[in-house]
Amino acid sequence: MIPAPFEYVRASSVEEALAALAEHGEDAKLIAGGHSLLPIMKLRLAVPSVLVDISGIRELSYVRVDGDGADAVVAIGALTRHHELETSDVARAEVGLLPHVAGRVGDPQVRHRGTLGGTVAHCDPASDLPTALLALGGDVVLAGPGGRRTVPVTEFFLGFFETAMDDGEMIVELRVPRLGDAGWGYEKFTRRENDWPIVAAAAVAGRDGGAARVALANMAGTVLRATATEQALAGGASIAEAAALAAEGTSPTSDMHADAEYRSHLARLLTRRALETATTPISVAA
Ligand SMILES: Cc1cc2nc3c(=O)[nH]c(=O)nc-3n(C[C@H](O)[C@H](O)[C@H](O)COP(=O)(O)OP(=O)(O)OC[C@H]3O[C@@H](n4cnc5c(N)ncnc54)[C@H](O)[C@@H]3O)c2cc1C
């Protein structure tokens, strides 16, 4: 399939991108890696008449620790590609879940083009990195005509391909708390290694299993937290007891890959495994 004709604008700064969005209104769409937008343009599910290419704004590609002491967070530019996140020493040292999950997105070609901002903005219910971000917490930084604002990750993914981003805004940064002593686990069930998850579970937990956060992919119209599991853990339930509640409050669909009942089974199983990994003490070689 061939996309409908469109005008192409290249932005070399955030200001240029915002100006182009303001000029062309709802006819315009940003394009970063193009690995989600172009497939849906080819299917004519998206028909923007203007594409604003932001892939050249290289100052939005970075992973760094921002701030000092307990207030320090990991700041990740929106145009950081999955491969850059996967191989970032800072990300590996401070938020190990994210580079691990980035390395499990699609294939090398996808990881060398796709961007963190793109996958967060696209808000596919099956996407890996938004699931990891929900478990980690933190903020999405948006730039728009009125300046910059920050939205907690937990309030960003609203529904089926729907986010808290307003028209004319763009994501410029993700700010993620450092993991410190917390452990993490990620379980992604696919039919083939490079596939999107049929279901995935991300867990972040203190090594004693307390104050855990669990997020699920492909269990509803958007990525979501497994709140029944989290509440059970906070109330002293075992991992097995809490994971048995992982599908509560979800609304998985049935499709050619799995029916809703099987997805619920996967959510319970993957949550248990992710939590077990997150709470397994790290052994240090002598
Ligand atoms: C073959 C294939 C396999 C894949 N497998 C997986 C997988 O296993 N797991 C997974 O999670 N994903 C997978 N993906 C999706 C991939 O991760 C995409 O790269 C990602 O979802 C979107 O990033 P992008 O930079 O390509 O965004 P684009 O396609 O350029 O844009 C996507 C949407 O986000 C908007 N956008 C982009 N950047 C910004 C910004 N900074 N601010 C505001 N809006 C913005 C665009 O306007 C568009 O609406 C796969 C894609 C392909 C083609």
Coordinates of all heavy atoms in Angstrom, one line a residue, residues 54-148:
I54 N 10.9 15.3 12.8 CA 11.7 15.8 13.9 C 13.0 14.9 14.2 O 13.7 15.1 15.1 CB 10.9 15.8 15.2 CG1 10.3 14.5 15.5 CG2 9.8 16.9 15.1 CD1 9.5 14.4 16.9
S55 N 13.2 13.9 13.3 CA 14.3 13.0 13.5 C 15.7 13.6 13.5 O 16.6 13.1 14.1 CB 14.3 11.8 12.5 OG 14.5 12.3 11.2
G56 N 15.8 14.8 12.9 CA 17.1 15.5 12.9 C 17.4 16.4 14.1 O 18.4 17.0 14.2
I57 N 16.4 16.4 15.1 CA 16.7 17.3 16.3 C 17.5 16.4 17.2 O 17.1 15.9 18.2 CB 15.4 17.7 16.9 CG1 14.4 18.3 15.9 CG2 15.6 18.7 18.0 CD1 13.1 18.7 16.5
R58 N 18.8 16.4 16.9 CA 19.7 15.4 17.7 C 19.9 15.9 19.1 O 20.3 15.1 19.9 CB 21.0 15.2 16.9 CG 20.9 14.5 15.6 CD 20.0 13.3 15.6 NE 20.5 12.2 16.4 CZ 19.8 11.1 16.8 NH1 18.5 11.1 16.6 NH2 20.3 10.2 17.5
E59 N 19.6 17.1 19.4 CA 19.8 17.5 20.8 C 18.7 16.9 21.7 O 18.8 17.0 22.9 CB 19.9 19.0 21.0 CG 18.6 19.8 20.8 CD 18.5 20.4 19.4 OE1 19.2 19.9 18.5 OE2 17.8 21.4 19.2
L60 N 17.7 16.3 21.1 CA 16.7 15.5 21.9 C 17.1 14.1 22.0 O 16.2 13.2 22.3 CB 15.3 15.7 21.3 CG 14.6 17.0 21.5 CD1 13.2 17.0 21.0 CD2 14.7 17.5 23.0
S61 N 18.3 13.7 21.7 CA 18.8 12.3 21.9 C 19.9 12.3 22.9 O 21.0 12.6 22.7 CB 19.3 11.8 20.5 OG 19.8 10.6 20.7
Y62 N 19.5 11.8 24.2 CA 20.5 11.7 25.3 C 19.9 10.9 26.4 O 18.7 10.7 26.5 CB 20.8 13.2 25.8 CG 19.6 13.9 26.2 CD1 19.0 13.8 27.5 CD2 19.0 14.8 25.4 CE1 17.9 14.5 27.9 CE2 17.8 15.6 25.7 CZ 17.3 15.4 27.0 OH 16.2 16.0 27.3
V63 N 20.8 10.4 27.2 CA 20.4 9.7 28.4 C 21.4 10.2 29.5 O 22.6 10.0 29.3 CB 20.5 8.1 28.3 CG1 20.0 7.5 29.6 CG2 19.7 7.6 27.1
R64 N 20.9 10.9 30.5 CA 21.8 11.5 31.5 C 21.2 11.5 32.9 O 19.9 11.6 33.0 CB 22.3 12.8 31.0 CG 21.2 13.8 30.9 CD 21.8 15.2 30.3 NE 20.7 16.1 30.1 CZ 20.6 16.8 28.9 NH1 21.4 16.6 27.9 NH2 19.6 17.7 28.8
V65 N 22.0 11.6 33.9 CA 21.5 11.8 35.2 C 21.3 13.3 35.4 O 22.3 14.1 35.1 CB 22.4 11.2 36.3 CG1 21.9 11.5 37.7 CG2 22.5 9.7 36.1
D66 N 20.2 13.7 35.9 CA 19.9 15.1 36.0 C 19.6 15.4 37.5 O 18.7 14.8 38.1 CB 18.6 15.4 35.2 CG 18.5 16.9 34.9 OD1 19.3 17.7 35.4 OD2 17.6 17.3 34.2
G67 N 20.3 16.3 38.1 CA 20.1 16.7 39.5 C 21.1 16.0 40.4 O 22.0 15.2 40.0
D68 N 21.0 16.2 41.7 CA 21.9 15.7 42.7 C 21.2 14.9 43.8 O 20.0 15.1 44.1 CB 22.7 16.8 43.4 CG 23.5 17.6 42.5 OD1 24.2 16.9 41.7 OD2 23.5 18.8 42.5
G69 N 21.9 13.9 44.3 CA 21.5 13.2 45.5 C 20.2 12.5 45.3 O 19.9 11.9 44.2
A70 N 19.3 12.5 46.3 CA 18.0 11.8 46.3 C 17.1 12.4 45.2 O 16.2 11.6 44.8 CB 17.4 11.9 47.6
D71 N 17.3 13.6 44.8 CA 16.4 14.2 43.8 C 16.8 13.9 42.4 O 16.1 14.2 41.4 CB 16.3 15.7 44.0 CG 15.7 16.2 45.3 OD1 14.9 15.4 45.8 OD2 16.1 17.2 45.8
A72 N 17.9 13.3 42.2 CA 18.4 13.0 40.8 C 17.5 12.0 40.1 O 17.0 11.1 40.7 CB 19.8 12.5 40.9
V73 N 17.3 12.3 38.8 CA 16.5 11.4 38.0 C 17.3 11.1 36.7 O 18.2 11.8 36.4 CB 15.1 12.0 37.6 CG1 14.2 12.2 38.8 CG2 15.3 13.3 36.8
V74 N 16.8 10.1 36.0 CA 17.4 9.9 34.7 C 16.6 10.6 33.6 O 15.4 10.3 33.5 CB 17.5 8.3 34.4 CG1 18.1 8.1 33.0 CG2 18.4 7.7 35.4
A75 N 17.2 11.5 32.9 CA 16.5 12.3 31.9 C 16.8 11.6 30.5 O 18.0 11.4 30.2 CB 16.9 13.7 31.9
I76 N 15.8 11.3 29.7 CA 16.0 10.7 28.4 C 15.3 11.5 27.4 O 14.1 11.8 27.5 CB 15.4 9.3 28.4 CG1 16.0 8.5 29.6 CG2 15.7 8.6 27.1 CD1 15.3 7.1 29.8
G77 N 16.0 12.0 26.4 CA 15.5 12.8 25.3 C 14.5 12.0 24.5 O 14.7 10.8 24.3
A78 N 13.4 12.7 24.0 CA 12.4 12.0 23.3 C 12.8 11.3 22.0 O 12.3 10.3 21.6 CB 11.3 13.0 22.9
L79 N 13.9 11.8 21.4 CA 14.4 11.2 20.2 C 15.5 10.2 20.4 O 16.1 9.8 19.4 CB 14.8 12.3 19.2 CG 13.6 13.0 18.6 CD1 14.0 14.4 18.0 CD2 13.0 12.1 17.5
T80 N 15.7 9.8 21.6 CA 16.6 8.7 21.9 C 16.0 7.4 21.3 O 14.9 7.0 21.5 CB 16.8 8.5 23.4 OG1 17.2 9.7 24.0 CG2 17.8 7.4 23.7
R81 N 16.8 6.8 20.4 CA 16.4 5.5 19.7 C 16.5 4.4 20.7 O 17.3 4.3 21.6 CB 17.2 5.3 18.5 CG 17.0 6.5 17.5 CD 17.6 6.2 16.1 NE 17.2 7.3 15.2 CZ 18.0 7.9 14.4 NH1 19.3 7.7 14.4 NH2 17.5 8.9 13.6
H82 N 15.7 3.3 20.4 CA 15.6 2.2 21.3 C 17.1 1.6 21.4 O 17.5 1.2 22.5 CB 14.7 1.1 20.7 CG 13.3 1.6 20.4 ND1 12.7 2.6 21.2 CD2 12.4 1.2 19.5 CE1 11.5 2.8 20.7 NE2 11.3 2.0 19.7
H83 N 17.8 1.5 20.3 CA 19.2 1.0 20.4 C 20.1 1.8 21.3 O 20.9 1.3 22.0 CB 19.8 0.9 19.0 CG 21.2 0.4 19.0 ND1 21.6 -0.9 19.2 CD2 22.4 1.1 18.8 CE1 22.9 -1.0 19.2 NE2 23.4 0.2 18.9
E84 N 19.9 3.2 21.2 CA 20.7 4.0 22.1 C 20.4 3.8 23.5 O 21.3 3.8 24.4 CB 20.5 5.5 21.7 CG 21.0 5.8 20.3 CD 20.5 7.2 19.7 OE1 19.5 7.7 20.1 OE2 21.3 7.7 18.9
L85 N 19.1 3.6 23.8 CA 18.7 3.3 25.2 C 19.3 2.0 25.7 O 19.8 1.8 26.8 CB 17.2 3.4 25.3 CG 16.5 3.3 26.6 CD1 17.1 4.3 27.6 CD2 15.0 3.4 26.5
E86 N 19.2 1.0 24.8 CA 19.6 -0.4 25.1 C 21.1 -0.4 25.4 O 21.5 -1.2 26.3 CB 19.3 -1.2 23.8 CG 19.8 -2.7 24.0 CD 19.7 -3.4 22.6 OE1 19.2 -2.8 21.6 OE2 20.1 -4.6 22.6
T87 N 21.9 0.4 24.8 CA 23.3 0.4 25.0 C 23.9 1.5 25.8 O 25.1 1.7 25.9 CB 24.0 0.5 23.6 OG1 23.5 1.6 22.9 CG2 23.7 -0.8 22.8
S88 N 23.0 2.3 26.4 CA 23.4 3.4 27.3 C 24.0 2.9 28.6 O 23.3 2.2 29.4 CB 22.3 4.4 27.5 OG 22.5 5.1 28.7
D89 N 25.2 3.3 28.9 CA 25.8 2.9 30.2 C 25.0 3.6 31.4 O 24.9 2.9 32.4 CB 27.3 3.4 30.3 CG 28.1 2.5 29.4 OD1 27.7 1.4 29.0 OD2 29.2 3.0 29.0
V90 N 24.6 4.8 31.2 CA 23.8 5.5 32.3 C 22.5 4.7 32.5 O 22.2 4.5 33.7 CB 23.5 7.0 31.9 CG1 22.6 7.6 32.9 CG2 24.8 7.7 31.8
A91 N 21.8 4.4 31.5 CA 20.6 3.7 31.6 C 20.8 2.3 32.3 O 20.0 1.9 33.2 CB 19.9 3.5 30.3
R92 N 21.8 1.6 31.9 CA 22.1 0.3 32.5 C 22.4 0.4 34.0 O 22.0 -0.4 34.8 CB 23.3 -0.4 31.7 CG 22.9 -0.9 30.4 CD 24.0 -1.5 29.7 NE 23.7 -2.1 28.4 CZ 24.5 -2.6 27.5 NH1 25.8 -2.5 27.7 NH2 24.1 -3.2 26.4
A93 N 23.1 1.5 34.3 CA 23.5 1.6 35.7 C 22.3 2.1 36.6 O 22.2 1.7 37.8 CB 24.7 2.6 35.8
E94 N 21.5 2.9 36.1 CA 20.5 3.6 36.9 C 19.0 3.1 36.8 O 18.3 3.2 37.7 CB 20.5 5.1 36.5 CG 21.8 5.8 36.7 CD 22.3 6.0 38.1 OE1 21.5 5.7 39.0 OE2 23.4 6.4 38.4
V95 N 18.7 2.6 35.6 CA 17.3 2.2 35.3 C 17.3 1.0 34.5 O 16.8 0.9 33.4 CB 16.4 3.3 34.7 CG1 16.0 4.4 35.7 CG2 17.1 4.0 33.5
G96 N 18.0 -0.1 35.0 CA 18.3 -1.3 34.1 C 17.1 -1.9 33.4 O 17.2 -2.5 32.3
L97 N 15.9 -1.7 33.9 CA 14.7 -2.3 33.3 C 14.5 -1.7 31.9 O 14.2 -2.4 30.9 CB 13.4 -1.9 34.1 CG 12.1 -2.3 33.5 CD1 11.9 -3.8 33.2 CD2 10.9 -1.8 34.4
L98 N 14.8 -0.4 31.7 CA 14.5 0.3 30.4 C 15.4 -0.2 29.3 O 14.9 -0.6 28.2 CB 14.7 1.8 30.6 CG 13.4 2.6 31.0 CD1 13.7 4.1 30.9 CD2 12.2 2.2 30.1
P99 N 16.8 -0.2 29.5 CA 17.6 -0.7 28.4 C 17.3 -2.2 28.1 O 17.4 -2.6 26.9 CB 19.0 -0.5 28.9 CG 18.9 -0.3 30.3 CD 17.6 0.3 30.6
H100 N 17.0 -3.0 29.2 CA 16.6 -4.4 28.9 C 15.4 -4.5 28.0 O 15.4 -5.2 27.0 CB 16.3 -5.1 30.2 CG 15.8 -6.5 30.1 ND1 16.6 -7.6 29.8 CD2 14.5 -6.9 30.1 CE1 15.8 -8.6 29.7 NE2 14.6 -8.3 29.9
V101 N 14.4 -3.7 28.3 CA 13.2 -3.8 27.5 C 13.4 -3.2 26.1 O 12.9 -3.7 25.1 CB 12.0 -3.0 28.3 CG1 10.8 -2.9 27.4 CG2 11.7 -3.8 29.5
A102 N 14.2 -2.1 26.0 CA 14.5 -1.5 24.7 C 15.1 -2.6 23.8 O 14.9 -2.6 22.6 CB 15.4 -0.3 24.9
G103 N 15.9 -3.5 24.4 CA 16.6 -4.5 23.6 C 15.6 -5.6 23.2 O 16.0 -6.5 22.4
R104 N 14.4 -5.6 23.7 CA 13.4 -6.6 23.3 C 12.4 -6.1 22.4 O 11.4 -6.8 22.1 CB 12.8 -7.2 24.6 CG 13.9 -7.9 25.4 CD 13.4 -9.2 26.0 NE 12.8 -10.1 25.1 CZ 11.9 -11.0 25.4 NH1 11.6 -11.1 26.7 NH2 11.3 -11.7 24.6
V105 N 12.5 -4.8 21.9 CA 11.6 -4.3 21.0 C 11.9 -4.7 19.6 O 13.0 -4.4 19.1 CB 11.6 -2.7 21.1 CG1 10.7 -2.1 20.0 CG2 11.1 -2.2 22.5
G106 N 11.0 -5.3 18.9 CA 11.1 -5.6 17.5 C 12.5 -6.3 17.1 O 13.0 -7.1 17.9
D107 N 13.0 -5.8 16.0 CA 14.3 -6.3 15.5 C 15.3 -5.2 15.4 O 15.0 -4.0 15.7 CB 14.1 -7.0 14.1 CG 13.4 -6.0 13.1 OD1 13.7 -4.8 13.2 OD2 12.6 -6.5 12.3
P108 N 16.6 -5.5 15.1 CA 17.6 -4.4 15.1 C 17.2 -3.2 14.2 O 17.5 -2.0 14.6 CB 18.8 -5.1 14.5 CG 18.7 -6.5 14.9 CD 17.2 -6.8 14.8
Q109 N 16.5 -3.4 13.1 CA 16.2 -2.3 12.2 C 15.2 -1.4 13.0 O 15.3 -0.1 13.0 CB 15.5 -2.8 11.0 CG 15.2 -1.7 10.0 CD 14.6 -2.3 8.7 OE1 14.4 -3.5 8.5 NE2 14.2 -1.4 7.8
V110 N 14.2 -2.0 13.6 CA 13.2 -1.2 14.4 C 13.9 -0.4 15.5 O 13.7 0.8 15.8 CB 12.1 -2.1 15.0 CG1 11.2 -1.3 15.9 CG2 11.3 -2.8 13.9
R111 N 14.8 -1.1 16.2 CA 15.5 -0.5 17.4 C 16.5 0.6 16.9 O 16.8 1.5 17.7 CB 16.3 -1.5 18.2 CG 15.3 -2.6 18.8 CD 16.0 -3.4 19.9 NE 17.0 -4.3 19.4 CZ 16.8 -5.5 19.0 NH1 15.6 -6.0 19.0 NH2 17.8 -6.3 18.7
H112 N 17.0 0.6 15.7 CA 17.8 1.7 15.2 C 17.1 2.9 14.7 O 17.7 3.9 14.4 CB 18.8 1.1 14.2 CG 20.0 0.5 14.8 ND1 20.0 -0.8 15.2 CD2 21.3 0.9 15.0 CE1 21.2 -1.2 15.7 NE2 22.0 -0.1 15.6
R113 N 15.8 2.8 14.5 CA 15.0 3.9 14.0 C 14.0 4.4 15.0 O 13.7 5.6 15.1 CB 14.2 3.5 12.7 CG 15.1 3.3 11.5 CD 15.9 4.5 11.1 NE 15.1 5.7 10.8 CZ 15.6 6.9 10.6 NH1 16.9 7.0 10.6 NH2 14.8 7.9 10.4
G114 N 13.3 3.5 15.7 CA 12.2 3.8 16.6 C 12.8 4.6 17.8 O 13.9 4.4 18.3
T115 N 11.9 5.6 18.3 CA 12.4 6.5 19.4 C 11.5 6.3 20.6 O 10.3 5.9 20.5 CB 12.3 7.9 18.9 OG1 10.9 8.3 18.7 CG2 13.1 8.2 17.7
L116 N 12.0 6.7 21.8 CA 11.3 6.5 23.0 C 10.0 7.5 23.0 O 8.9 7.1 23.3 CB 12.1 6.9 24.2 CG 11.5 6.7 25.6 CD1 11.1 5.2 25.8 CD2 12.4 7.1 26.7
G117 N 10.2 8.7 22.5 CA 9.1 9.6 22.4 C 8.0 9.1 21.5 O 6.8 9.3 21.7
G118 N 8.5 8.5 20.4 CA 7.5 8.0 19.4 C 6.7 6.9 20.0 O 5.4 6.8 19.8
T119 N 7.3 5.9 20.7 CA 6.5 4.8 21.2 C 5.6 5.3 22.4 O 4.5 4.8 22.5 CB 7.4 3.6 21.7 OG1 6.6 2.5 21.9 CG2 8.2 3.9 22.9
V120 N 6.0 6.3 23.1 CA 5.2 6.8 24.2 C 4.0 7.6 23.6 O 2.9 7.4 24.0 CB 6.0 7.7 25.2 CG1 5.1 8.4 26.2 CG2 7.0 6.8 26.0
A121 N 4.3 8.4 22.6 CA 3.2 9.2 22.0 C 2.2 8.3 21.2 O 1.0 8.6 21.2 CB 3.8 10.2 21.0
H122 N 2.7 7.3 20.6 CA 1.8 6.4 19.8 C 0.9 5.6 20.7 O -0.3 5.4 20.3 CB 2.7 5.4 19.0 CG 2.0 4.7 17.9 ND1 1.3 5.3 16.9 CD2 1.7 3.4 17.7 CE1 0.7 4.5 16.1 NE2 1.0 3.2 16.6
C123 N 1.3 5.2 21.9 CA 0.4 4.7 22.9 C -0.3 3.4 22.5 O -1.5 3.3 22.7 CB -0.6 5.8 23.4 SG -1.6 5.4 24.8
D124 N 0.4 2.5 21.9 CA -0.1 1.2 21.5 C -0.3 0.4 22.7 O 0.6 0.3 23.5 CB 0.8 0.5 20.5 CG 0.2 -0.7 19.8 OD1 -0.3 -1.6 20.6 OD2 0.2 -0.8 18.6
P125 N -1.5 -0.3 22.9 CA -1.7 -1.0 24.2 C -0.7 -2.2 24.3 O -0.5 -2.7 25.4 CB -3.1 -1.6 24.0 CG -3.5 -1.4 22.6 CD -2.7 -0.3 22.1
A126 N 0.0 -2.6 23.2 CA 0.9 -3.8 23.3 C 2.4 -3.3 23.4 O 3.3 -4.1 23.3 CB 0.7 -4.6 22.1
S127 N 2.6 -2.0 23.6 CA 4.0 -1.6 23.4 C 4.8 -1.8 24.7 O 4.3 -1.7 25.8 CB 4.1 -0.1 23.0 OG 3.2 0.7 23.8
D128 N 6.1 -2.2 24.5 CA 7.0 -2.6 25.6 C 7.4 -1.5 26.5 O 7.3 -1.6 27.7 CB 8.2 -3.3 24.9 CG 7.9 -4.7 24.3 OD1 7.6 -5.6 25.1 OD2 8.0 -4.8 23.1
L129 N 8.0 -0.5 25.9 CA 8.6 0.6 26.7 C 7.6 1.4 27.5 O 7.9 1.7 28.7 CB 9.5 1.5 25.8 CG 10.8 0.8 25.4 CD1 11.5 1.5 24.2 CD2 11.8 0.8 26.6
P130 N 6.4 1.7 27.0 CA 5.5 2.4 27.9 C 5.1 1.5 29.1 O 4.9 2.0 30.2 CB 4.3 2.6 27.0 CG 4.9 2.8 25.6 CD 6.0 1.8 25.6
T131 N 5.1 0.2 28.9 CA 4.8 -0.7 30.0 C 5.9 -0.6 31.1 O 5.6 -0.5 32.3 CB 4.7 -2.2 29.5 OG1 3.8 -2.2 28.4 CG2 4.2 -3.1 30.6
A132 N 7.2 -0.6 30.6 CA 8.3 -0.5 31.6 C 8.2 0.9 32.3 O 8.5 1.0 33.5 CB 9.6 -0.7 30.8
L133 N 7.9 1.9 31.5 CA 7.8 3.3 32.1 C 6.8 3.3 33.2 O 6.9 4.0 34.2 CB 7.6 4.3 31.1 CG 8.8 4.6 30.2 CD1 8.4 5.4 28.9 CD2 9.9 5.4 31.0
L134 N 5.6 2.7 33.0 CA 4.5 2.7 34.0 C 5.0 2.0 35.3 O 4.6 2.5 36.4 CB 3.3 1.9 33.4 CG 2.1 2.7 32.9 CD1 1.0 1.7 32.7 CD2 1.7 3.8 33.8
A135 N 5.8 1.0 35.1 CA 6.3 0.3 36.3 C 7.3 1.1 37.1 O 7.4 1.1 38.3 CB 6.8 -1.1 36.0
L136 N 8.1 1.9 36.3 CA 9.2 2.7 36.9 C 8.6 4.0 37.5 O 9.2 4.6 38.4 CB 10.2 3.0 35.8 CG 11.2 1.9 35.4 CD1 11.8 2.2 34.1 CD2 12.2 1.6 36.5
G137 N 7.6 4.5 36.9 CA 7.1 5.9 37.3 C 7.9 7.0 36.6 O 8.6 6.7 35.7
G138 N 7.7 8.2 37.1 CA 8.4 9.3 36.5 C 7.4 10.2 35.7 O 6.2 10.1 35.9
D139 N 8.0 11.0 34.8 CA 7.2 12.1 34.2 C 7.5 12.2 32.7 O 8.6 11.9 32.2 CB 7.5 13.5 34.8 CG 7.2 13.5 36.2 OD1 6.0 13.3 36.6 OD2 8.0 13.8 37.1
V140 N 6.5 12.6 32.0 CA 6.6 12.9 30.5 C 6.7 14.5 30.4 O 5.8 15.2 31.0 CB 5.4 12.4 29.7 CG1 5.6 12.7 28.2 CG2 5.1 11.0 30.0
V141 N 7.7 15.0 29.8 CA 7.8 16.5 29.6 C 7.3 16.8 28.2 O 7.8 16.3 27.2 CB 9.3 16.9 29.8 CG1 9.3 18.5 29.7 CG2 9.8 16.5 31.2
L142 N 6.3 17.7 28.2 CA 5.7 18.1 26.9 C 6.1 19.6 26.6 O 6.1 20.4 27.6 CB 4.2 18.0 27.0 CG 3.7 16.6 27.3 CD1 2.2 16.7 27.6 CD2 3.9 15.7 26.0
A143 N 6.3 19.9 25.4 CA 6.5 21.3 24.9 C 5.4 21.6 24.0 O 4.9 20.8 23.2 CB 7.8 21.5 24.2
G144 N 4.8 22.8 24.2 CA 3.7 23.3 23.4 C 3.7 24.8 23.2 O 4.6 25.4 23.7
P145 N 2.6 25.3 22.6 CA 2.6 26.7 22.4 C 2.6 27.5 23.7 O 3.1 28.7 23.7 CB 1.2 26.9 21.7 CG 0.7 25.6 21.4 CD 1.5 24.5 22.1
G146 N 2.2 26.9 24.8 CA 2.2 27.7 26.0 C 3.4 27.4 26.9 O 3.4 27.8 28.1
G147 N 4.4 26.8 26.3 CA 5.6 26.5 27.1 C 5.7 25.0 27.4 O 5.1 24.2 26.7
R148 N 6.4 24.7 28.5 CA 6.6 23.3 28.9 C 5.7 22.9 30.1 O 5.4 23.7 30.9 CB 8.0 23.0 29.2 CG 8.9 23.2 28.0 CD 10.3 22.5 28.1 NE 10.9 22.7 26.8 CZ 11.9 21.9 26.4 NH1 12.4 21.0 27.2 NH2 12.5 22.1 25.3

